[in-house]
mmCIF file with all atom_site columns, all heavy atoms in Angstrom:
data_model
loop_
_atom_site.group_PDB
_atom_site.id
_atom_site.type_symbol
_atom_site.label_atom_id
_atom_site.label_alt_id
_atom_site.label_comp_id
_atom_site.label_asym_id
_atom_site.label_entity_id
_atom_site.label_seq_id
_atom_site.pdbx_PDB_ins_code
_atom_site.Cartn_x
_atom_site.Cartn_y
_atom_site.Cartn_z
_atom_site.occupancy
_atom_site.B_iso_or_equiv
_atom_site.pdbx_formal_charge
_atom_site.auth_seq_id
_atom_site.auth_comp_id
_atom_site.auth_asym_id
_atom_site.auth_atom_id
_atom_site.pdbx_PDB_model_num
ATOM 1   N N   . LEU A 1 38  ? 11.464 111.167 -21.200 1.00 0.00 ? 38  LEU A N   1
ATOM 2   C CA  . LEU A 1 38  ? 12.335 112.206 -21.732 1.00 0.00 ? 38  LEU A CA  1
ATOM 3   C C   . LEU A 1 38  ? 12.490 112.022 -23.242 1.00 0.00 ? 38  LEU A C   1
ATOM 4   O O   . LEU A 1 38  ? 12.451 110.914 -23.752 1.00 0.00 ? 38  LEU A O   1
ATOM 5   C CB  . LEU A 1 38  ? 13.712 112.125 -21.042 1.00 0.00 ? 38  LEU A CB  1
ATOM 6   C CG  . LEU A 1 38  ? 13.692 112.328 -19.524 1.00 0.00 ? 38  LEU A CG  1
ATOM 7   C CD1 . LEU A 1 38  ? 15.062 112.020 -18.941 1.00 0.00 ? 38  LEU A CD1 1
ATOM 8   C CD2 . LEU A 1 38  ? 13.276 113.742 -19.183 1.00 0.00 ? 38  LEU A CD2 1
ATOM 9   N N   . GLU A 1 39  ? 12.676 113.123 -23.961 1.00 0.00 ? 39  GLU A N   1
ATOM 10  C CA  . GLU A 1 39  ? 12.789 113.062 -25.414 1.00 0.00 ? 39  GLU A CA  1
ATOM 11  C C   . GLU A 1 39  ? 14.194 112.642 -25.835 1.00 0.00 ? 39  GLU A C   1
ATOM 12  O O   . GLU A 1 39  ? 15.174 112.957 -25.180 1.00 0.00 ? 39  GLU A O   1
ATOM 13  C CB  . GLU A 1 39  ? 12.466 114.434 -26.022 1.00 0.00 ? 39  GLU A CB  1
ATOM 14  C CG  . GLU A 1 39  ? 11.030 114.875 -25.819 1.00 0.00 ? 39  GLU A CG  1
ATOM 15  C CD  . GLU A 1 39  ? 10.743 116.207 -26.484 1.00 0.00 ? 39  GLU A CD  1
ATOM 16  O OE1 . GLU A 1 39  ? 11.612 116.672 -27.264 1.00 0.00 ? 39  GLU A OE1 1
ATOM 17  O OE2 . GLU A 1 39  ? 9.689  116.779 -26.229 1.00 0.00 ? 39  GLU A OE2 1
ATOM 18  N N   . THR A 1 41  ? 16.985 113.464 -27.804 1.00 0.00 ? 41  THR A N   1
ATOM 19  C CA  . THR A 1 41  ? 17.519 114.630 -28.505 1.00 0.00 ? 41  THR A CA  1
ATOM 20  C C   . THR A 1 41  ? 19.035 114.586 -28.664 1.00 0.00 ? 41  THR A C   1
ATOM 21  O O   . THR A 1 41  ? 19.609 115.426 -29.342 1.00 0.00 ? 41  THR A O   1
ATOM 22  C CB  . THR A 1 41  ? 17.153 115.923 -27.739 1.00 0.00 ? 41  THR A CB  1
ATOM 23  O OG1 . THR A 1 41  ? 17.661 115.840 -26.405 1.00 0.00 ? 41  THR A OG1 1
ATOM 24  C CG2 . THR A 1 41  ? 15.646 116.120 -27.690 1.00 0.00 ? 41  THR A CG2 1
ATOM 25  N N   . LEU A 1 42  ? 19.719 113.601 -28.032 1.00 0.00 ? 42  LEU A N   1
ATOM 26  C CA  . LEU A 1 42  ? 21.179 113.556 -28.063 1.00 0.00 ? 42  LEU A CA  1
ATOM 27  C C   . LEU A 1 42  ? 21.683 112.684 -29.202 1.00 0.00 ? 42  LEU A C   1
ATOM 28  O O   . LEU A 1 42  ? 21.267 111.542 -29.371 1.00 0.00 ? 42  LEU A O   1
ATOM 29  C CB  . LEU A 1 42  ? 21.726 113.017 -26.738 1.00 0.00 ? 42  LEU A CB  1
ATOM 30  C CG  . LEU A 1 42  ? 21.542 113.898 -25.501 1.00 0.00 ? 42  LEU A CG  1
ATOM 31  C CD1 . LEU A 1 42  ? 22.038 113.162 -24.260 1.00 0.00 ? 42  LEU A CD1 1
ATOM 32  C CD2 . LEU A 1 42  ? 22.289 115.213 -25.664 1.00 0.00 ? 42  LEU A CD2 1
ATOM 33  N N   . ILE A 1 50  ? 29.660 114.336 -23.858 1.00 0.00 ? 50  ILE A N   1
ATOM 34  C CA  . ILE A 1 50  ? 29.436 114.095 -22.432 1.00 0.00 ? 50  ILE A CA  1
ATOM 35  C C   . ILE A 1 50  ? 30.546 113.225 -21.866 1.00 0.00 ? 50  ILE A C   1
ATOM 36  O O   . ILE A 1 50  ? 31.129 113.521 -20.819 1.00 0.00 ? 50  ILE A O   1
ATOM 37  C CB  . ILE A 1 50  ? 28.062 113.441 -22.205 1.00 0.00 ? 50  ILE A CB  1
ATOM 38  C CG1 . ILE A 1 50  ? 26.946 114.450 -22.475 1.00 0.00 ? 50  ILE A CG1 1
ATOM 39  C CG2 . ILE A 1 50  ? 27.940 112.903 -20.777 1.00 0.00 ? 50  ILE A CG2 1
ATOM 40  C CD1 . ILE A 1 50  ? 25.557 113.863 -22.456 1.00 0.00 ? 50  ILE A CD1 1
ATOM 41  N N   . LEU A 1 175 ? 20.937 125.953 -16.039 1.00 0.00 ? 175 LEU A N   1
ATOM 42  C CA  . LEU A 1 175 ? 21.066 125.682 -17.479 1.00 0.00 ? 175 LEU A CA  1
ATOM 43  C C   . LEU A 1 175 ? 20.449 124.337 -17.832 1.00 0.00 ? 175 LEU A C   1
ATOM 44  O O   . LEU A 1 175 ? 19.726 124.210 -18.831 1.00 0.00 ? 175 LEU A O   1
ATOM 45  C CB  . LEU A 1 175 ? 22.535 125.699 -17.887 1.00 0.00 ? 175 LEU A CB  1
ATOM 46  C CG  . LEU A 1 175 ? 22.838 125.261 -19.331 1.00 0.00 ? 175 LEU A CG  1
ATOM 47  C CD1 . LEU A 1 175 ? 22.293 126.290 -20.322 1.00 0.00 ? 175 LEU A CD1 1
ATOM 48  C CD2 . LEU A 1 175 ? 24.338 125.069 -19.544 1.00 0.00 ? 175 LEU A CD2 1
ATOM 49  N N   . ASN A 1 176 ? 20.709 123.310 -17.020 1.00 0.00 ? 176 ASN A N   1
ATOM 50  C CA  . ASN A 1 176 ? 20.178 121.985 -17.311 1.00 0.00 ? 176 ASN A CA  1
ATOM 51  C C   . ASN A 1 176 ? 18.666 121.912 -17.146 1.00 0.00 ? 176 ASN A C   1
ATOM 52  O O   . ASN A 1 176 ? 18.013 121.099 -17.799 1.00 0.00 ? 176 ASN A O   1
ATOM 53  C CB  . ASN A 1 176 ? 20.860 120.943 -16.425 1.00 0.00 ? 176 ASN A CB  1
ATOM 54  C CG  . ASN A 1 176 ? 22.201 120.495 -16.980 1.00 0.00 ? 176 ASN A CG  1
ATOM 55  O OD1 . ASN A 1 176 ? 22.272 119.617 -17.833 1.00 0.00 ? 176 ASN A OD1 1
ATOM 56  N ND2 . ASN A 1 176 ? 23.274 121.118 -16.513 1.00 0.00 ? 176 ASN A ND2 1
ATOM 57  N N   . VAL A 1 177 ? 18.113 122.769 -16.301 1.00 0.00 ? 177 VAL A N   1
ATOM 58  C CA  . VAL A 1 177 ? 16.659 122.822 -16.177 1.00 0.00 ? 177 VAL A CA  1
ATOM 59  C C   . VAL A 1 177 ? 16.033 123.330 -17.467 1.00 0.00 ? 177 VAL A C   1
ATOM 60  O O   . VAL A 1 177 ? 14.958 122.886 -17.877 1.00 0.00 ? 177 VAL A O   1
ATOM 61  C CB  . VAL A 1 177 ? 16.238 123.712 -14.984 1.00 0.00 ? 177 VAL A CB  1
ATOM 62  C CG1 . VAL A 1 177 ? 14.733 124.001 -15.021 1.00 0.00 ? 177 VAL A CG1 1
ATOM 63  C CG2 . VAL A 1 177 ? 16.602 123.034 -13.668 1.00 0.00 ? 177 VAL A CG2 1
ATOM 64  N N   . THR A 1 178 ? 16.698 124.232 -18.165 1.00 0.00 ? 178 THR A N   1
ATOM 65  C CA  . THR A 1 178 ? 16.122 124.862 -19.357 1.00 0.00 ? 178 THR A CA  1
ATOM 66  C C   . THR A 1 178 ? 16.182 123.985 -20.596 1.00 0.00 ? 178 THR A C   1
ATOM 67  O O   . THR A 1 178 ? 15.715 124.396 -21.656 1.00 0.00 ? 178 THR A O   1
ATOM 68  C CB  . THR A 1 178 ? 16.823 126.194 -19.663 1.00 0.00 ? 178 THR A CB  1
ATOM 69  O OG1 . THR A 1 178 ? 18.206 125.961 -19.967 1.00 0.00 ? 178 THR A OG1 1
ATOM 70  C CG2 . THR A 1 178 ? 16.717 127.143 -18.489 1.00 0.00 ? 178 THR A CG2 1
ATOM 71  N N   . GLY A 1 179 ? 16.755 122.785 -20.506 1.00 0.00 ? 179 GLY A N   1
ATOM 72  C CA  . GLY A 1 179 ? 16.713 121.872 -21.638 1.00 0.00 ? 179 GLY A CA  1
ATOM 73  C C   . GLY A 1 179 ? 18.003 121.103 -21.837 1.00 0.00 ? 179 GLY A C   1
ATOM 74  O O   . GLY A 1 179 ? 19.091 121.669 -21.743 1.00 0.00 ? 179 GLY A O   1
ATOM 75  N N   . THR A 1 180 ? 17.861 119.802 -22.133 1.00 0.00 ? 180 THR A N   1
ATOM 76  C CA  . THR A 1 180 ? 19.031 118.957 -22.370 1.00 0.00 ? 180 THR A CA  1
ATOM 77  C C   . THR A 1 180 ? 19.794 119.414 -23.598 1.00 0.00 ? 180 THR A C   1
ATOM 78  O O   . THR A 1 180 ? 21.024 119.373 -23.643 1.00 0.00 ? 180 THR A O   1
ATOM 79  C CB  . THR A 1 180 ? 18.590 117.496 -22.543 1.00 0.00 ? 180 THR A CB  1
ATOM 80  O OG1 . THR A 1 180 ? 17.855 117.088 -21.389 1.00 0.00 ? 180 THR A OG1 1
ATOM 81  C CG2 . THR A 1 180 ? 19.789 116.577 -22.711 1.00 0.00 ? 180 THR A CG2 1
ATOM 82  N N   . GLU A 1 181 ? 19.084 119.876 -24.626 1.00 0.00 ? 181 GLU A N   1
ATOM 83  C CA  . GLU A 1 181 ? 19.763 120.323 -25.840 1.00 0.00 ? 181 GLU A CA  1
ATOM 84  C C   . GLU A 1 181 ? 20.660 121.523 -25.564 1.00 0.00 ? 181 GLU A C   1
ATOM 85  O O   . GLU A 1 181 ? 21.756 121.634 -26.121 1.00 0.00 ? 181 GLU A O   1
ATOM 86  C CB  . GLU A 1 181 ? 18.733 120.671 -26.920 1.00 0.00 ? 181 GLU A CB  1
ATOM 87  C CG  . GLU A 1 181 ? 18.369 119.499 -27.805 1.00 0.00 ? 181 GLU A CG  1
ATOM 88  C CD  . GLU A 1 181 ? 17.579 119.940 -29.025 1.00 0.00 ? 181 GLU A CD  1
ATOM 89  O OE1 . GLU A 1 181 ? 16.413 120.345 -28.832 1.00 0.00 ? 181 GLU A OE1 1
ATOM 90  O OE2 . GLU A 1 181 ? 18.110 119.883 -30.141 1.00 0.00 ? 181 GLU A OE2 1
ATOM 91  N N   . ASN A 1 182 ? 20.214 122.421 -24.713 1.00 0.00 ? 182 ASN A N   1
ATOM 92  C CA  . ASN A 1 182 ? 21.038 123.582 -24.367 1.00 0.00 ? 182 ASN A CA  1
ATOM 93  C C   . ASN A 1 182 ? 22.330 123.135 -23.694 1.00 0.00 ? 182 ASN A C   1
ATOM 94  O O   . ASN A 1 182 ? 23.427 123.607 -24.022 1.00 0.00 ? 182 ASN A O   1
ATOM 95  C CB  . ASN A 1 182 ? 20.272 124.529 -23.434 1.00 0.00 ? 182 ASN A CB  1
ATOM 96  C CG  . ASN A 1 182 ? 19.097 125.188 -24.112 1.00 0.00 ? 182 ASN A CG  1
ATOM 97  O OD1 . ASN A 1 182 ? 19.089 125.350 -25.326 1.00 0.00 ? 182 ASN A OD1 1
ATOM 98  N ND2 . ASN A 1 182 ? 18.099 125.574 -23.338 1.00 0.00 ? 182 ASN A ND2 1
ATOM 99  N N   . ALA A 1 183 ? 22.204 122.202 -22.749 1.00 0.00 ? 183 ALA A N   1
ATOM 100 C CA  . ALA A 1 183 ? 23.384 121.699 -22.052 1.00 0.00 ? 183 ALA A CA  1
ATOM 101 C C   . ALA A 1 183 ? 24.302 120.961 -23.014 1.00 0.00 ? 183 ALA A C   1
ATOM 102 O O   . ALA A 1 183 ? 25.534 121.074 -22.943 1.00 0.00 ? 183 ALA A O   1
ATOM 103 C CB  . ALA A 1 183 ? 22.967 120.780 -20.911 1.00 0.00 ? 183 ALA A CB  1
ATOM 104 N N   . ALA A 1 184 ? 23.708 120.191 -23.960 1.00 0.00 ? 184 ALA A N   1
ATOM 105 C CA  . ALA A 1 184 ? 24.518 119.429 -24.913 1.00 0.00 ? 184 ALA A CA  1
ATOM 106 C C   . ALA A 1 184 ? 25.247 120.349 -25.889 1.00 0.00 ? 184 ALA A C   1
ATOM 107 O O   . ALA A 1 184 ? 26.405 120.105 -26.246 1.00 0.00 ? 184 ALA A O   1
ATOM 108 C CB  . ALA A 1 184 ? 23.627 118.457 -25.677 1.00 0.00 ? 184 ALA A CB  1
ATOM 109 N N   . LYS A 1 185 ? 24.594 121.424 -26.330 1.00 0.00 ? 185 LYS A N   1
ATOM 110 C CA  . LYS A 1 185 ? 25.248 122.364 -27.240 1.00 0.00 ? 185 LYS A CA  1
ATOM 111 C C   . LYS A 1 185 ? 26.437 123.035 -26.567 1.00 0.00 ? 185 LYS A C   1
ATOM 112 O O   . LYS A 1 185 ? 27.507 123.197 -27.166 1.00 0.00 ? 185 LYS A O   1
ATOM 113 C CB  . LYS A 1 185 ? 24.241 123.421 -27.711 1.00 0.00 ? 185 LYS A CB  1
ATOM 114 C CG  . LYS A 1 185 ? 23.227 122.900 -28.713 1.00 0.00 ? 185 LYS A CG  1
ATOM 115 C CD  . LYS A 1 185 ? 22.204 123.973 -29.063 1.00 0.00 ? 185 LYS A CD  1
ATOM 116 C CE  . LYS A 1 185 ? 21.176 123.434 -30.044 1.00 0.00 ? 185 LYS A CE  1
ATOM 117 N NZ  . LYS A 1 185 ? 20.113 124.441 -30.343 1.00 0.00 ? 185 LYS A NZ  1
ATOM 118 N N   . LEU A 1 186 ? 26.251 123.439 -25.313 1.00 0.00 ? 186 LEU A N   1
ATOM 119 C CA  . LEU A 1 186 ? 27.367 124.024 -24.571 1.00 0.00 ? 186 LEU A CA  1
ATOM 120 C C   . LEU A 1 186 ? 28.493 123.005 -24.441 1.00 0.00 ? 186 LEU A C   1
ATOM 121 O O   . LEU A 1 186 ? 29.668 123.330 -24.632 1.00 0.00 ? 186 LEU A O   1
ATOM 122 C CB  . LEU A 1 186 ? 26.898 124.466 -23.179 1.00 0.00 ? 186 LEU A CB  1
ATOM 123 C CG  . LEU A 1 186 ? 28.001 124.974 -22.241 1.00 0.00 ? 186 LEU A CG  1
ATOM 124 C CD1 . LEU A 1 186 ? 28.619 126.251 -22.793 1.00 0.00 ? 186 LEU A CD1 1
ATOM 125 C CD2 . LEU A 1 186 ? 27.451 125.212 -20.831 1.00 0.00 ? 186 LEU A CD2 1
ATOM 126 N N   . VAL A 1 250 ? 22.181 108.942 -19.553 1.00 0.00 ? 250 VAL A N   1
ATOM 127 C CA  . VAL A 1 250 ? 21.288 109.691 -20.442 1.00 0.00 ? 250 VAL A CA  1
ATOM 128 C C   . VAL A 1 250 ? 20.880 108.844 -21.644 1.00 0.00 ? 250 VAL A C   1
ATOM 129 O O   . VAL A 1 250 ? 20.500 109.367 -22.690 1.00 0.00 ? 250 VAL A O   1
ATOM 130 C CB  . VAL A 1 250 ? 21.946 111.016 -20.916 1.00 0.00 ? 250 VAL A CB  1
ATOM 131 C CG1 . VAL A 1 250 ? 22.151 111.956 -19.743 1.00 0.00 ? 250 VAL A CG1 1
ATOM 132 C CG2 . VAL A 1 250 ? 23.262 110.761 -21.632 1.00 0.00 ? 250 VAL A CG2 1
ATOM 133 N N   . GLU A 1 253 ? 17.738 109.478 -23.587 1.00 0.00 ? 253 GLU A N   1
ATOM 134 C CA  . GLU A 1 253 ? 17.648 110.670 -24.434 1.00 0.00 ? 253 GLU A CA  1
ATOM 135 C C   . GLU A 1 253 ? 18.553 110.580 -25.660 1.00 0.00 ? 253 GLU A C   1
ATOM 136 O O   . GLU A 1 253 ? 18.745 111.549 -26.371 1.00 0.00 ? 253 GLU A O   1
ATOM 137 C CB  . GLU A 1 253 ? 18.020 111.904 -23.603 1.00 0.00 ? 253 GLU A CB  1
ATOM 138 C CG  . GLU A 1 253 ? 17.029 112.169 -22.479 1.00 0.00 ? 253 GLU A CG  1
ATOM 139 C CD  . GLU A 1 253 ? 17.616 113.034 -21.381 1.00 0.00 ? 253 GLU A CD  1
ATOM 140 O OE1 . GLU A 1 253 ? 17.518 114.278 -21.474 1.00 0.00 ? 253 GLU A OE1 1
ATOM 141 O OE2 . GLU A 1 253 ? 18.178 112.471 -20.425 1.00 0.00 ? 253 GLU A OE2 1
ATOM 142 N N   . ASN A 1 329 ? 29.267 120.308 -15.819 1.00 0.00 ? 329 ASN A N   1
ATOM 143 C CA  . ASN A 1 329 ? 28.010 120.394 -16.543 1.00 0.00 ? 329 ASN A CA  1
ATOM 144 C C   . ASN A 1 329 ? 27.456 119.007 -16.852 1.00 0.00 ? 329 ASN A C   1
ATOM 145 O O   . ASN A 1 329 ? 26.282 118.705 -16.583 1.00 0.00 ? 329 ASN A O   1
ATOM 146 C CB  . ASN A 1 329 ? 28.217 121.179 -17.842 1.00 0.00 ? 329 ASN A CB  1
ATOM 147 C CG  . ASN A 1 329 ? 26.952 121.300 -18.666 1.00 0.00 ? 329 ASN A CG  1
ATOM 148 O OD1 . ASN A 1 329 ? 25.890 121.638 -18.145 1.00 0.00 ? 329 ASN A OD1 1
ATOM 149 N ND2 . ASN A 1 329 ? 27.057 121.021 -19.953 1.00 0.00 ? 329 ASN A ND2 1
ATOM 150 N N   . LEU A 1 333 ? 24.046 116.968 -15.155 1.00 0.00 ? 333 LEU A N   1
ATOM 151 C CA  . LEU A 1 333 ? 23.053 116.336 -16.022 1.00 0.00 ? 333 LEU A CA  1
ATOM 152 C C   . LEU A 1 333 ? 22.872 114.869 -15.643 1.00 0.00 ? 333 LEU A C   1
ATOM 153 O O   . LEU A 1 333 ? 21.751 114.379 -15.467 1.00 0.00 ? 333 LEU A O   1
ATOM 154 C CB  . LEU A 1 333 ? 23.512 116.448 -17.481 1.00 0.00 ? 333 LEU A CB  1
ATOM 155 C CG  . LEU A 1 333 ? 22.699 115.691 -18.533 1.00 0.00 ? 333 LEU A CG  1
ATOM 156 C CD1 . LEU A 1 333 ? 21.321 116.296 -18.668 1.00 0.00 ? 333 LEU A CD1 1
ATOM 157 C CD2 . LEU A 1 333 ? 23.425 115.698 -19.871 1.00 0.00 ? 333 LEU A CD2 1
ATOM 158 N N   . ARG A 1 337 ? 19.665 112.526 -13.817 1.00 0.00 ? 337 ARG A N   1
ATOM 159 C CA  . ARG A 1 337 ? 19.044 111.381 -14.490 1.00 0.00 ? 337 ARG A CA  1
ATOM 160 C C   . ARG A 1 337 ? 19.071 110.137 -13.602 1.00 0.00 ? 337 ARG A C   1
ATOM 161 O O   . ARG A 1 337 ? 18.183 109.293 -13.681 1.00 0.00 ? 337 ARG A O   1
ATOM 162 C CB  . ARG A 1 337 ? 19.751 111.098 -15.816 1.00 0.00 ? 337 ARG A CB  1
ATOM 163 C CG  . ARG A 1 337 ? 19.199 111.849 -17.019 1.00 0.00 ? 337 ARG A CG  1
ATOM 164 C CD  . ARG A 1 337 ? 18.847 113.267 -16.723 1.00 0.00 ? 337 ARG A CD  1
ATOM 165 N NE  . ARG A 1 337 ? 18.399 114.020 -17.887 1.00 0.00 ? 337 ARG A NE  1
ATOM 166 C CZ  . ARG A 1 337 ? 18.250 115.324 -17.911 1.00 0.00 ? 337 ARG A CZ  1
ATOM 167 N NH1 . ARG A 1 337 ? 18.521 116.038 -16.822 1.00 0.00 ? 337 ARG A NH1 1
ATOM 168 N NH2 . ARG A 1 337 ? 17.836 115.942 -18.993 1.00 0.00 ? 337 ARG A NH2 1
ATOM 169 N N   . TYR A 1 359 ? 10.155 122.755 -20.446 1.00 0.00 ? 359 TYR A N   1
ATOM 170 C CA  . TYR A 1 359 ? 11.499 122.442 -20.908 1.00 0.00 ? 359 TYR A CA  1
ATOM 171 C C   . TYR A 1 359 ? 11.745 120.956 -21.155 1.00 0.00 ? 359 TYR A C   1
ATOM 172 O O   . TYR A 1 359 ? 12.761 120.591 -21.761 1.00 0.00 ? 359 TYR A O   1
ATOM 173 C CB  . TYR A 1 359 ? 12.535 122.951 -19.893 1.00 0.00 ? 359 TYR A CB  1
ATOM 174 C CG  . TYR A 1 359 ? 12.486 124.430 -19.674 1.00 0.00 ? 359 TYR A CG  1
ATOM 175 C CD1 . TYR A 1 359 ? 12.123 124.969 -18.438 1.00 0.00 ? 359 TYR A CD1 1
ATOM 176 C CD2 . TYR A 1 359 ? 12.792 125.313 -20.708 1.00 0.00 ? 359 TYR A CD2 1
ATOM 177 C CE1 . TYR A 1 359 ? 12.075 126.333 -18.235 1.00 0.00 ? 359 TYR A CE1 1
ATOM 178 C CE2 . TYR A 1 359 ? 12.742 126.680 -20.517 1.00 0.00 ? 359 TYR A CE2 1
ATOM 179 C CZ  . TYR A 1 359 ? 12.386 127.197 -19.268 1.00 0.00 ? 359 TYR A CZ  1
ATOM 180 O OH  . TYR A 1 359 ? 12.347 128.558 -19.072 1.00 0.00 ? 359 TYR A OH  1
ATOM 181 N N   . GLY A 1 360 ? 10.847 120.086 -20.692 1.00 0.00 ? 360 GLY A N   1
ATOM 182 C CA  . GLY A 1 360 ? 11.033 118.662 -20.887 1.00 0.00 ? 360 GLY A CA  1
ATOM 183 C C   . GLY A 1 360 ? 12.182 118.082 -20.091 1.00 0.00 ? 360 GLY A C   1
ATOM 184 O O   . GLY A 1 360 ? 12.809 117.106 -20.508 1.00 0.00 ? 360 GLY A O   1
ATOM 185 N N   . THR A 1 361 ? 12.492 118.663 -18.935 1.00 0.00 ? 361 THR A N   1
ATOM 186 C CA  . THR A 1 361 ? 13.606 118.206 -18.102 1.00 0.00 ? 361 THR A CA  1
ATOM 187 C C   . THR A 1 361 ? 13.094 117.833 -16.711 1.00 0.00 ? 361 THR A C   1
ATOM 188 O O   . THR A 1 361 ? 12.091 118.372 -16.245 1.00 0.00 ? 361 THR A O   1
ATOM 189 C CB  . THR A 1 361 ? 14.672 119.300 -17.958 1.00 0.00 ? 361 THR A CB  1
ATOM 190 O OG1 . THR A 1 361 ? 14.051 120.494 -17.450 1.00 0.00 ? 361 THR A OG1 1
ATOM 191 C CG2 . THR A 1 361 ? 15.331 119.601 -19.286 1.00 0.00 ? 361 THR A CG2 1
ATOM 192 N N   . PRO A 1 362 ? 13.815 116.915 -16.018 1.00 0.00 ? 362 PRO A N   1
ATOM 193 C CA  . PRO A 1 362 ? 13.409 116.533 -14.662 1.00 0.00 ? 362 PRO A CA  1
ATOM 194 C C   . PRO A 1 362 ? 13.866 117.573 -13.644 1.00 0.00 ? 362 PRO A C   1
ATOM 195 O O   . PRO A 1 362 ? 14.878 117.422 -12.977 1.00 0.00 ? 362 PRO A O   1
ATOM 196 C CB  . PRO A 1 362 ? 14.122 115.184 -14.468 1.00 0.00 ? 362 PRO A CB  1
ATOM 197 C CG  . PRO A 1 362 ? 15.343 115.292 -15.311 1.00 0.00 ? 362 PRO A CG  1
ATOM 198 C CD  . PRO A 1 362 ? 14.965 116.124 -16.499 1.00 0.00 ? 362 PRO A CD  1
ATOM 199 N N   . LEU A 1 366 ? 16.896 117.638 -10.758 1.00 0.00 ? 366 LEU A N   1
ATOM 200 C CA  . LEU A 1 366 ? 18.022 118.573 -10.890 1.00 0.00 ? 366 LEU A CA  1
ATOM 201 C C   . LEU A 1 366 ? 18.228 119.355 -9.601  1.00 0.00 ? 366 LEU A C   1
ATOM 202 O O   . LEU A 1 366 ? 19.365 119.622 -9.194  1.00 0.00 ? 366 LEU A O   1
ATOM 203 C CB  . LEU A 1 366 ? 17.783 119.524 -12.065 1.00 0.00 ? 366 LEU A CB  1
ATOM 204 C CG  . LEU A 1 366 ? 18.133 118.940 -13.440 1.00 0.00 ? 366 LEU A CG  1
ATOM 205 C CD1 . LEU A 1 366 ? 17.473 119.743 -14.562 1.00 0.00 ? 366 LEU A CD1 1
ATOM 206 C CD2 . LEU A 1 366 ? 19.650 118.910 -13.640 1.00 0.00 ? 366 LEU A CD2 1
#
Side-chain angles (χ1 to χ4, degrees):
L38 299 172
E39 295 182 11
T41 57
L42 292 175
I50 289 172
L175 173 68
N176 277 276
V177 168
T178 63
T180 303
E181 270 192 290
N182 293 334
K185 287 176 181 177
L186 174 65
V250 294
E253 295 159 89
N329 179 47
L333 172 68
R337 271 41 176 192
Y359 300 115
T361 55
L366 279 162

